[in-house]
Amino acid sequence: MRGQGGKDRRQQSRRPPMTMLETFIKPMHREGIPFVAAFAAVTLVLFWLWEPLGWVGTGLTVWCYYFFRDPRRAVPENAGLMVSPADGVVSLIERAVPPPELGMGPEAMMRVSVFMNVFNCHVNRAPIAGRISAISYRPGKFLNAALDKASVDNERNSLRIDMADGRSIAVVQIAGLVARRIVCFAKPGQDIRTGERFGLIRFGSRLDIYLPEGVQPQVALGQTCVAGETVIALVGQDMPQRLARME
């Protein structure tokens, strides 16, 4: 085992370092292809009509590509680490009842909400490893996703993930004021790894994570999270809720 670990470390050390170009140019998720193609086609027409409009279209096309970017992430593999499912800012930390369609009972659980604006990467990742026991889509309104009532009123797609220790968490994709399409790649009964991609939401939205009883958030209100990398909770470890100050 020690020899194998040394071999893995040597293989990692032989990987080529990230270039400066790779820090700026990120791969695009396939869901963005038709949108970028449409923006590009309109841009060509705008150039034909009037060149300044064409440059405006070029900027919007670049933004569309940037919106659908799907960068690789360094996902921590330590047992018990729960990571953020989305890029964005922690907008709410409070106790709330998980969506009833997931069958997790009427008791309130600690909920962490991550709000994504139109400039964030919108690819969603699994907070922790487990089996997806339920997925439920519910149509609704398109209120500002930063509002507390968006969890109840807005269009949403809810996932229940059962962990190896028998406890469950809920992850809820919530459409926002601009968002009009929730995409989920996962299927009920699927085993999912921590940080694995499971969906995305187009053009501004929010992710809610419901933590098991006794698990306290390790993020603070206003903190910026990176999907698949930022640790939002320690499962199986007795840790107080993290506090922070704004400077």
Side-chain angles (χ1 to χ4, degrees):
M1 294 298 290
R2 183 179 301 173
Q4 182 64 41
K7 181 179 178 181
D8 291 341
R9 286 191 292 272
R10 288 194 299 271
Q11 289 177 341
Q12 292 175 359
S13 65
R14 288 198 297 267
R15 292 174 182 171
M18 179 175 287
T19 66
M20 184 61 69
L21 187 62
E22 289 174 316
T23 64
F24 291 100
I25 301 178
K26 304 296 183 183
M28 183 181 68
H29 196 277
R30 63 182 182 274
E31 287 285 333
I33 294 175
F35 290 90
V36 173
F39 271 71
V42 171
T43 297
L44 291 176
V45 175
L46 293 176
F47 267 118
W48 179 74
L49 293 173
W50 189 38
E51 184 174 339
L53 285 178
W55 288 112
V56 172
T58 299
L60 292 174
T61 302
V62 172
W63 168 79
C64 188
Y65 176 91
Y66 184 71
F67 177 87
F68 285 103
R69 66 194 184 280
D70 184 16
R72 295 169 60 193
R73 296 286 164 80
V75 180
E77 294 187 333
N78 305 67
L81 294 186
M82 184 181 295
V83 298
S84 175
D87 286 20
V89 174
V90 177
S91 59
L92 292 168
I93 299 178
E94 59 186 8
R95 295 189 67 83
V97 177
E101 57 265 29
L102 293 180
M104 298 179 69
E107 299 298 324
M109 303 171 68
M110 183 62 74
R111 181 181 70 190
V112 178
S113 300
V114 180
F115 175 74
M116 298 177 285
N117 63 39
V118 294
F119 297 104
N120 289 128
C121 173
H122 275 56
V123 175
N124 305 144
R125 295 172 178 264
I128 202 164
R131 174 162 293 182
I132 300 174
S133 58
I135 299 178
S136 180
Y137 169 79
R138 199 207 73 165
K141 300 178 181 179
F142 297 96
L143 304 175
N144 185 342
L147 299 176
D148 183 29
K149 62 181 180 179
S151 296
V152 177
D153 295 338
N154 280 23
E155 174 184 339
R156 67 177 182 242
N157 186 63
S158 307
L159 291 79
R160 175 175 175 171
I161 301 177
D162 298 335
M163 299 182 294
D165 63 5
R167 292 183 293 175
S168 301
I169 69 164
V171 186
V172 186
Q173 299 171 287
I174 301 173
L177 186 64
V178 183
R180 288 296 186 272
R181 175 66 170 154
I182 295 175
V183 180
C184 182
F185 318 127
K187 305 294 182 184
Q190 172 184 337
D191 291 325
I192 197 164
R193 297 173 298 168
T194 303
E196 184 176 344
R197 299 166 180 84
F198 74 85
L200 61 83
I201 314 176
R202 296 174 187 162
F203 308 119
S205 44
R206 177 174 133 194
L207 264 287
D208 284 351
I209 313 98
Y210 293 82
L211 309 180
E213 187 62 36
V215 175
Q216 295 297 328
Q218 295 303 300
V219 289
L221 283 173
Q223 179 176 340
T224 299
C225 294
V226 177
E229 293 187 356
T230 301
V231 175
I232 62 168
L234 304 175
V235 179
Q237 301 183 47
D238 185 16
M239 294 286 290
Q241 181 175 338
R242 178 181 172 182
L243 302 177
R245 67 179 185 276
M246 303 297 289
E247 289 190 350

